[in-house]
Coordinates of all heavy atoms in Angstrom, one line a residue:
M66 N -151.5 -50.1 34.3 CA -152.5 -49.4 33.4 C -153.7 -48.9 34.4 O -153.9 -49.7 35.4 CB -153.0 -50.2 32.3 CG -154.0 -49.5 31.5 SD -154.3 -50.3 30.0 CE -153.9 -49.0 28.8
T67 N -154.3 -47.9 34.1 CA -155.4 -47.4 35.0 C -156.7 -47.5 34.1 O -156.8 -47.5 33.1 CB -155.1 -45.9 35.3 OG1 -155.0 -45.1 34.2 CG2 -153.9 -45.8 36.1
S68 N -157.9 -47.5 34.9 CA -159.2 -47.5 34.3 C -159.5 -46.0 33.8 O -160.3 -45.8 33.1 CB -160.1 -48.0 35.1 OG -160.3 -47.3 36.4
S69 N -158.9 -45.0 34.6 CA -159.2 -43.6 34.4 C -157.9 -43.0 34.0 O -156.9 -43.2 34.7 CB -159.9 -43.0 35.6 OG -159.8 -41.5 35.4
K70 N -157.8 -42.2 32.9 CA -156.6 -41.5 32.5 C -156.3 -40.1 33.4 O -155.3 -39.6 33.1 CB -156.6 -41.4 31.2 CG -156.4 -42.6 30.3 CD -156.2 -42.5 28.9 CE -156.1 -43.8 28.1 NZ -155.5 -43.8 27.0
T71 N -157.3 -39.8 34.2 CA -157.2 -38.5 35.0 C -157.2 -38.8 36.5 O -157.3 -37.8 37.4 CB -158.3 -37.7 34.6 OG1 -159.6 -38.3 34.8 CG2 -158.2 -37.2 33.1
K72 N -157.3 -40.1 36.9 CA -157.3 -40.4 38.4 C -156.6 -41.7 38.5 O -156.9 -42.7 37.9 CB -158.6 -40.3 38.9 CG -158.7 -40.7 40.4 CD -160.0 -40.4 41.1 CE -160.0 -40.6 42.6 NZ -161.2 -40.2 43.4
F73 N -155.7 -41.7 39.4 CA -154.9 -42.9 39.6 C -154.2 -43.0 41.0 O -154.1 -42.0 41.7 CB -153.8 -43.2 38.5 CG -152.9 -42.0 38.3 CD1 -151.7 -41.9 38.9 CD2 -153.3 -41.0 37.3 CE1 -150.8 -40.8 38.7 CE2 -152.5 -39.8 37.3 CZ -151.3 -39.8 37.9
G74 N -153.7 -44.1 41.5 CA -152.9 -44.3 42.6 C -151.5 -44.4 42.5 O -151.0 -43.8 41.6
Q75 N -150.9 -45.2 43.3 CA -149.4 -45.4 43.1 C -149.1 -46.4 42.1 O -149.9 -47.3 41.7 CB -148.9 -45.9 44.5 CG -149.1 -47.4 45.0 CD -148.4 -47.7 46.2 OE1 -147.7 -46.8 46.9 NE2 -148.4 -48.9 46.6
G76 N -147.8 -46.2 41.6 CA -147.3 -47.1 40.6 C -146.6 -46.3 39.5 O -146.1 -45.1 39.8
T77 N -146.2 -47.0 38.4 CA -145.5 -46.4 37.4 C -146.5 -46.3 36.1 O -147.2 -47.3 35.8 CB -144.3 -47.2 37.0 OG1 -143.5 -47.3 38.1 CG2 -143.4 -46.5 35.9
F78 N -146.6 -45.1 35.6 CA -147.5 -44.8 34.4 C -146.8 -44.1 33.2 O -145.9 -43.4 33.3 CB -148.6 -43.9 35.0 CG -149.2 -44.3 36.2 CD1 -148.8 -44.0 37.4 CD2 -150.3 -45.3 36.1 CE1 -149.4 -44.4 38.5 CE2 -150.8 -45.9 37.3 CZ -150.5 -45.4 38.5
I79 N -147.3 -44.7 32.1 CA -146.9 -44.0 30.7 C -147.7 -42.9 30.4 O -148.9 -43.0 30.4 CB -146.9 -45.2 29.7 CG1 -146.1 -46.3 30.0 CG2 -146.5 -44.5 28.4 CD1 -146.3 -47.5 29.1
V80 N -147.1 -41.8 30.2 CA -147.9 -40.6 29.9 C -148.3 -40.7 28.5 O -147.8 -41.0 27.6 CB -147.0 -39.2 30.1 CG1 -147.7 -38.0 29.6 CG2 -146.5 -39.2 31.4
G81 N -149.7 -40.4 28.4 CA -150.3 -40.4 27.1 C -151.0 -41.8 27.0 O -152.0 -42.0 26.2
T82 N -150.6 -42.9 27.6 CA -151.2 -44.2 27.5 C -152.1 -44.5 28.8 O -153.3 -44.8 28.7 CB -150.2 -45.3 27.3 OG1 -149.4 -45.0 26.1 CG2 -150.7 -46.6 27.2
D83 N -151.3 -44.4 29.9 CA -151.9 -44.7 31.3 C -152.6 -43.5 31.8 O -153.5 -43.6 32.6 CB -150.9 -45.3 32.2 CG -150.4 -46.6 31.7 OD1 -151.1 -47.4 31.1 OD2 -149.1 -46.9 32.1
M84 N -152.1 -42.4 31.5 CA -152.5 -41.2 32.1 C -152.4 -40.0 31.2 O -151.5 -40.1 30.2 CB -151.7 -40.9 33.3 CG -150.3 -40.8 33.1 SD -149.3 -40.2 34.6 CE -150.0 -38.7 34.9
L85 N -153.1 -38.9 31.3 CA -153.1 -37.8 30.5 C -152.1 -36.6 31.1 O -152.0 -36.6 32.3 CB -154.4 -37.0 30.2 CG -155.4 -38.0 29.5 CD1 -156.7 -37.2 29.5 CD2 -154.9 -38.2 28.1
P86 N -151.4 -35.9 30.4 CA -150.5 -34.8 30.8 C -151.6 -33.9 31.5 O -152.7 -33.7 31.3 CB -149.9 -34.2 29.5 CG -150.2 -35.1 28.5 CD -151.3 -36.0 28.8
G87 N -151.0 -33.1 32.4 CA -151.7 -32.1 33.1 C -151.2 -31.9 34.5 O -150.3 -32.4 35.0
T88 N -152.1 -31.2 35.4 CA -151.7 -30.8 36.6 C -152.6 -31.7 37.5 O -153.8 -31.8 37.3 CB -151.8 -29.3 37.0 OG1 -151.0 -28.6 36.1 CG2 -151.4 -29.1 38.4
Y89 N -151.9 -32.4 38.5 CA -152.6 -33.4 39.4 C -152.3 -33.0 40.8 O -151.4 -32.5 41.2 CB -152.1 -34.8 39.2 CG -152.5 -35.3 37.8 CD1 -151.7 -35.1 36.7 CD2 -153.5 -36.2 37.8 CE1 -152.2 -35.5 35.4 CE2 -154.0 -36.7 36.5 CZ -153.3 -36.4 35.4 OH -153.7 -36.9 34.1
R90 N -153.3 -33.3 41.8 CA -153.1 -33.2 43.2 C -153.4 -34.5 43.8 O -154.3 -35.3 43.4 CB -154.5 -32.2 43.6 CG -154.2 -32.0 45.1 CD -155.3 -31.1 45.7 NE -155.0 -29.7 45.3 CZ -155.9 -28.7 44.9 NH1 -157.1 -29.1 44.9 NH2 -155.4 -27.7 44.4
S91 N -152.6 -34.7 44.8 CA -152.6 -36.1 45.4 C -153.6 -35.9 46.6 O -153.7 -34.9 47.2 CB -151.3 -36.6 45.9 OG -150.8 -35.8 46.9
G92 N -154.2 -37.0 47.0 CA -155.2 -37.1 48.1 C -154.7 -37.6 49.3 O -155.5 -37.8 50.2
G93 N -153.5 -38.2 49.4 CA -152.9 -38.8 50.6 C -152.5 -37.7 51.7 O -152.5 -36.5 51.4
S94 N -152.4 -38.3 52.9 CA -152.0 -37.4 53.9 C -150.7 -37.7 54.6 O -150.2 -37.1 55.5 CB -153.1 -37.4 55.0 OG -153.1 -38.8 55.5
G95 N -149.9 -38.6 54.0 CA -148.6 -39.0 54.4 C -147.5 -38.1 54.0 O -147.5 -37.3 53.2
K96 N -146.4 -38.0 54.9 CA -145.2 -37.2 54.6 C -144.3 -38.0 54.1 O -143.1 -37.4 53.7 CB -144.7 -36.6 56.0 CG -145.7 -35.5 56.7 CD -144.9 -35.0 57.9 CE -146.0 -34.0 58.5 NZ -145.5 -33.3 59.6
S97 N -144.4 -39.3 53.7 CA -143.4 -40.1 53.1 C -143.8 -40.3 51.6 O -143.4 -41.1 51.0 CB -143.3 -41.4 53.7 OG -144.5 -42.0 53.6
C98 N -144.6 -39.4 50.9 CA -145.1 -39.3 49.6 C -143.7 -39.1 48.7 O -143.0 -38.3 48.9 CB -146.0 -38.3 49.2 SG -146.3 -37.9 47.5
Y99 N -143.6 -40.0 47.7 CA -142.5 -39.9 46.7 C -143.0 -39.9 45.3 O -143.8 -40.8 44.9 CB -141.4 -41.0 46.9 CG -140.3 -40.9 45.8 CD1 -139.4 -39.8 45.9 CD2 -140.4 -41.6 44.6 CE1 -138.4 -39.7 44.8 CE2 -139.4 -41.5 43.7 CZ -138.5 -40.6 43.8 OH -137.5 -40.4 42.8
W100 N -142.7 -38.9 44.5 CA -143.1 -39.1 43.0 C -142.0 -38.6 42.1 O -141.1 -37.8 42.6 CB -144.3 -38.1 42.8 CG -144.2 -36.7 43.1 CD1 -144.9 -36.0 44.1 CD2 -143.6 -35.6 42.2 NE1 -144.5 -34.6 44.0 CE2 -143.8 -34.4 42.9 CE3 -142.9 -35.7 41.0 CZ2 -143.3 -33.2 42.4 CZ3 -142.5 -34.5 40.5 CH2 -142.7 -33.2 41.2
T101 N -142.0 -38.9 40.9 CA -140.9 -38.5 40.0 C -141.6 -38.4 38.5 O -142.3 -39.3 38.1 CB -139.7 -39.6 40.0 OG1 -138.7 -39.2 39.0 CG2 -140.2 -41.0 39.6
R102 N -141.1 -37.5 37.8 CA -141.5 -37.3 36.4 C -140.3 -38.0 35.6 O -139.1 -37.7 36.0 CB -141.6 -36.0 36.1 CG -142.9 -35.4 36.6 CD -142.9 -33.8 36.4 NE -142.8 -33.4 35.0 CZ -141.8 -32.4 34.7 NH1 -141.4 -31.7 35.6 NH2 -141.7 -32.1 33.4
L103 N -140.5 -38.8 34.6 CA -139.5 -39.6 33.9 C -139.5 -39.2 32.5 O -140.4 -39.1 31.8 CB -139.8 -41.0 34.0 CG -139.9 -41.6 35.4 CD1 -140.5 -43.0 35.4 CD2 -138.5 -41.6 36.1
R104 N -138.2 -39.2 32.0 CA -137.9 -39.0 30.6 C -137.8 -40.4 29.9 O -137.6 -40.5 28.6 CB -136.7 -38.0 30.3 CG -135.5 -38.5 30.8 CD -134.3 -37.6 30.4 NE -134.5 -36.1 30.7 CZ -134.2 -35.5 31.7 NH1 -133.5 -36.1 32.7 NH2 -134.3 -34.3 31.8
G105 N -137.6 -41.4 30.7 CA -137.5 -42.8 30.1 C -137.7 -43.7 31.4 O -137.8 -43.4 32.6
F106 N -137.6 -45.1 31.0 CA -137.7 -46.1 32.0 C -136.5 -46.9 32.3 O -136.6 -48.1 32.6 CB -139.0 -47.0 31.7 CG -140.3 -46.2 31.5 CD1 -140.6 -45.7 30.4 CD2 -141.0 -46.0 32.6 CE1 -141.9 -45.0 30.2 CE2 -142.2 -45.3 32.6 CZ -142.7 -44.8 31.4
T107 N -135.4 -46.4 32.2 CA -134.1 -47.0 32.3 C -133.8 -47.3 33.8 O -133.0 -48.2 34.0 CB -133.0 -46.2 31.7 OG1 -132.8 -44.9 32.5 CG2 -133.2 -45.8 30.2
G108 N -134.3 -46.7 34.7 CA -133.9 -46.8 36.0 C -132.7 -46.0 36.5 O -132.4 -46.1 37.7
L109 N -132.2 -45.2 35.6 CA -131.0 -44.6 35.9 C -131.5 -43.2 36.3 O -132.5 -42.6 36.0 CB -130.2 -44.5 34.6 CG -129.6 -45.5 33.9 CD1 -128.9 -45.2 32.6 CD2 -128.6 -46.2 34.9
L110 N -130.5 -42.4 37.1 CA -130.8 -41.1 37.6 C -131.1 -40.1 36.5 O -131.9 -39.2 36.6 CB -129.7 -40.6 38.6 CG -129.7 -41.2 39.9 CD1 -128.3 -40.8 40.7 CD2 -130.9 -40.9 40.7
S111 N -130.3 -40.3 35.4 CA -130.5 -39.5 34.2 C -131.9 -39.5 33.6 O -132.3 -38.6 32.7 CB -129.5 -39.8 33.1 OG -129.7 -41.1 32.7
A112 N -132.8 -40.5 33.9 CA -134.1 -40.6 33.5 C -135.1 -39.8 34.2 O -136.2 -39.5 33.8 CB -134.7 -42.1 33.6
I113 N -134.7 -39.2 35.4 CA -135.5 -38.4 36.2 C -135.4 -36.9 35.7 O -134.4 -36.4 35.7 CB -135.0 -38.5 37.8 CG1 -135.3 -39.8 38.2 CG2 -135.8 -37.4 38.6 CD1 -134.6 -40.1 39.6
I114 N -136.7 -36.4 35.4 CA -136.8 -35.0 35.1 C -136.9 -34.2 36.4 O -136.2 -33.1 36.6 CB -138.0 -34.8 34.2 CG1 -137.9 -35.6 32.9 CG2 -138.4 -33.3 33.9 CD1 -139.2 -35.7 32.2
A115 N -137.8 -34.6 37.3 CA -138.0 -33.9 38.5 C -138.6 -34.9 39.6 O -139.3 -35.9 39.1 CB -139.0 -32.7 38.4
N116 N -138.4 -34.7 40.8 CA -138.9 -35.7 41.8 C -139.0 -34.9 43.1 O -138.7 -33.8 43.3 CB -138.0 -37.0 42.0 CG -136.7 -36.6 42.6 OD1 -136.3 -35.5 42.8 ND2 -136.0 -37.5 42.9
H117 N -139.9 -35.5 44.1 CA -140.1 -34.9 45.2 C -140.3 -36.1 46.3 O -141.1 -37.0 46.0 CB -141.4 -34.1 45.0 CG -141.9 -33.7 46.4 ND1 -141.5 -32.4 46.9 CD2 -143.0 -33.9 47.2 CE1 -142.1 -32.1 48.1 NE2 -143.0 -33.1 48.3
F118 N -139.9 -35.7 47.5 CA -140.1 -36.6 48.6 C -140.6 -35.7 49.9 O -139.9 -34.7 50.1 CB -138.9 -37.4 49.0 CG -139.2 -38.4 50.2 CD1 -139.7 -39.5 50.1 CD2 -138.7 -37.9 51.5 CE1 -139.9 -40.3 51.1 CE2 -138.9 -38.8 52.6 CZ -139.5 -39.9 52.4
G119 N -141.7 -36.2 50.4 CA -142.2 -35.3 51.6 C -143.6 -35.2 51.5 O -144.4 -36.2 51.1
N120 N -144.2 -34.2 51.9 CA -145.7 -34.0 51.8 C -146.2 -34.1 50.3 O -145.5 -33.7 49.5 CB -146.2 -32.7 52.5 CG -145.9 -32.5 53.9 OD1 -145.9 -33.6 54.6 ND2 -145.7 -31.4 54.3
Q121 N -147.3 -34.8 50.2 CA -147.9 -34.8 49.0 C -148.2 -33.5 48.4 O -148.1 -32.5 49.2 CB -149.2 -35.8 48.8 CG -150.4 -35.2 49.6 CD -150.1 -35.3 51.2 OE1 -149.3 -35.8 51.7 NE2 -151.0 -34.4 51.9
G122 N -148.6 -33.3 47.3 CA -149.1 -32.0 46.7 C -149.5 -32.0 45.4 O -150.4 -32.7 44.9
I123 N -148.9 -31.2 44.6 CA -149.4 -30.8 43.2 C -148.3 -31.1 42.3 O -147.1 -30.6 42.6 CB -150.0 -29.5 43.0 CG1 -151.2 -29.3 44.0 CG2 -150.3 -29.1 41.6 CD1 -151.8 -27.9 44.0
V124 N -148.4 -31.7 41.1 CA -147.4 -31.9 40.1 C -148.0 -31.7 38.8 O -149.1 -32.0 38.5 CB -146.8 -33.3 40.2 CG1 -147.8 -34.4 39.9 CG2 -145.5 -33.5 39.3
T125 N -147.2 -30.9 37.9 CA -147.5 -30.8 36.5 C -146.7 -31.8 35.7 O -145.6 -31.7 35.6 CB -147.3 -29.4 36.1 OG1 -148.2 -28.6 36.8 CG2 -147.7 -29.2 34.5
I126 N -147.4 -32.6 35.0 CA -147.0 -33.7 34.1 C -147.0 -33.1 32.7 O -148.2 -32.9 32.2 CB -147.6 -35.1 34.3 CG1 -147.3 -35.4 35.7 CG2 -147.0 -36.0 33.4 CD1 -148.2 -36.5 36.3
R127 N -145.9 -33.0 31.9 CA -146.0 -32.4 30.6 C -146.1 -33.5 29.6 O -145.9 -34.8 29.8 CB -144.7 -31.6 30.3 CG -144.5 -30.6 31.4 CD -143.4 -29.7 31.1 NE -143.2 -28.6 32.1 CZ -142.1 -28.0 32.2 NH1 -141.0 -28.2 31.5 NH2 -142.2 -27.0 33.1
S128 N -146.7 -33.1 28.4 CA -146.8 -34.0 27.3 C -145.5 -34.7 26.9 O -145.4 -35.7 26.2 CB -147.6 -33.4 26.2 OG -146.8 -32.4 25.6
T129 N -144.3 -34.0 27.2 CA -143.1 -34.5 26.8 C -142.4 -35.5 27.7 O -141.5 -36.1 27.4 CB -142.0 -33.3 26.6 OG1 -142.0 -32.5 27.8 CG2 -142.4 -32.5 25.3
D130 N -143.1 -35.6 28.9 CA -142.7 -36.6 29.9 C -143.0 -38.0 29.3 O -144.1 -38.0 28.7 CB -143.3 -36.4 31.2 CG -143.0 -35.1 31.9 OD1 -142.2 -34.3 31.5 OD2 -143.6 -34.9 33.1
K131 N -142.1 -39.0 29.6 CA -142.5 -40.3 29.2 C -143.3 -41.1 30.3 O -144.0 -42.0 29.9 CB -141.2 -41.1 28.9 CG -140.4 -40.5 27.8 CD -141.1 -40.6 26.5 CE -140.3 -40.2 25.4 NZ -140.9 -39.8 24.1
G132 N -143.0 -40.7 31.4 CA -143.7 -41.6 32.5 C -143.8 -40.6 33.8 O -143.2 -39.7 34.0
F133 N -144.6 -41.2 34.7 CA -144.7 -40.7 36.1 C -144.7 -41.9 37.1 O -145.4 -42.9 36.8 CB -146.0 -39.9 36.2 CG -146.3 -39.3 37.5 CD1 -145.6 -38.2 38.0 CD2 -147.3 -39.9 38.4 CE1 -145.8 -37.6 39.3 CE2 -147.5 -39.3 39.7 CZ -146.8 -38.2 40.0
Q134 N -144.1 -41.8 38.2 CA -144.1 -42.7 39.3 C -144.5 -42.2 40.6 O -143.9 -41.0 40.9 CB -142.7 -43.4 39.3 CG -142.5 -44.6 40.1 CD -141.1 -45.2 39.8 OE1 -140.2 -44.5 40.1 NE2 -141.1 -46.4 39.3
S135 N -145.3 -42.9 41.4 CA -145.7 -42.3 42.6 C -145.8 -43.5 43.6 O -146.2 -44.6 43.3 CB -147.1 -41.7 42.5 OG -147.6 -41.4 43.7
H136 N -145.3 -43.2 44.9 CA -145.3 -44.2 46.0 C -145.9 -43.5 47.4 O -145.3 -42.3 47.5 CB -144.0 -44.8 46.2 CG -143.4 -45.5 45.1 ND1 -143.9 -46.6 44.7 CD2 -142.5 -45.1 44.2 CE1 -143.2 -47.1 43.6 NE2 -142.3 -46.1 43.3
R137 N -146.8 -44.0 47.9 CA -147.3 -43.5 49.2 C -147.9 -42.1 49.2 O -147.8 -41.3 50.2 CB -146.3 -43.5 50.3 CG -145.8 -45.1 50.6 CD -144.6 -45.1 51.5 NE -143.5 -44.2 51.2 CZ -142.4 -44.5 50.4 NH1 -142.5 -45.8 49.7 NH2 -141.5 -43.7 50.1
C138 N -148.5 -41.7 48.0 CA -149.1 -40.4 47.8 C -150.6 -40.4 47.9 O -151.2 -39.3 47.8 CB -148.5 -39.8 46.5 SG -146.7 -39.6 46.5
G139 N -151.2 -41.5 48.0 CA -152.6 -41.7 47.8 C -153.0 -41.5 46.4 O -152.3 -41.9 45.4
S140 N -154.3 -41.2 46.2 CA -154.8 -41.1 44.8 C -154.5 -39.7 44.2 O -154.5 -38.6 44.9 CB -156.3 -41.2 44.7 OG -156.6 -42.4 45.1
W141 N -154.1 -39.6 42.9 CA -153.8 -38.4 42.1 C -155.1 -38.2 41.3 O -155.6 -39.0 40.6 CB -152.6 -38.5 41.3 CG -151.4 -38.6 41.9 CD1 -150.7 -39.8 42.4 CD2 -150.6 -37.6 42.3 NE1 -149.7 -39.6 43.0 CE2 -149.4 -38.1 43.0 CE3 -150.6 -36.2 42.4 CZ2 -148.4 -37.4 43.6 CZ3 -149.6 -35.4 42.9 CH2 -148.5 -36.0 43.5
T142 N -155.5 -36.9 41.3 CA -156.6 -36.3 40.5 C -156.2 -35.2 39.8 O -155.7 -34.4 40.2 CB -157.9 -36.1 41.4 OG1 -158.2 -37.3 42.2 CG2 -159.1 -35.7 40.6
K143 N -156.5 -35.3 38.3 CA -156.3 -34.1 37.4 C -157.2 -32.9 37.9 O -158.4 -33.0 38.2 CB -156.7 -34.5 36.1 CG -156.1 -33.4 35.1 CD -156.1 -33.9 33.6 CE -155.5 -32.9 32.8 NZ -155.9 -33.1 31.4
I144 N -156.5 -31.7 38.0 CA -157.3 -30.5 38.5 C -157.3 -29.5 37.3 O -156.6 -29.6 36.3 CB -156.7 -29.9 39.7 CG1 -155.2 -29.6 39.5 CG2 -156.9 -30.8 40.9 CD1 -154.6 -28.9 40.8

């Protein structure tokens, strides 16, 4: 869980509970950033809506997404 629903770091978050839907920008500088938008928390590949590995950047998380997961991307801030 996060203290802010519009700014958070790495981890796994429930959309609507831990964070709000919207467009976010990461503040990290690493090229090993990994994020994924989730339709569920099963751990199966079928739970992944979209993912990205490489430079951090911008992601739009929809209200229909169940979760969002991020590793090595720095802080995400809603824009």
Side-chain angles (χ1 to χ4, degrees):
M66 183 167 238
T67 61
S68 59
S69 169
K70 293 188 181 199
T71 60
K72 185 172 183 174
F73 52 90
Q75 72 175 8
T77 302
F78 305 95
I79 300 169
V80 176
T82 300
D83 298 327
M84 59 175 298
L85 296 175
T88 301
Y89 290 82
R90 176 177 294 145
S91 68
S94 60
K96 293 185 178 183
S97 61
C98 169
Y99 175 77
W100 61 257
T101 183
R102 292 174 44 224
L103 301 168
R104 64 175 47 93
F106 298 95
T107 62
L109 300 174
L110 286 176
S111 60
I113 296 173
I114 297 168
N116 64 353
H117 174 80
F118 180 78
N120 291 329
Q121 70 288 345
I123 296 176
V124 61
T125 298
I126 300 161
R127 298 181 182 168
S128 61
T129 54
D130 294 357
K131 298 295 182 196
F133 179 74
Q134 191 172 61
S135 171
H136 301 284
R137 298 176 306 275
C138 298
S140 294
W141 293 92
T142 304
K143 191 172 184 196
I144 53 175

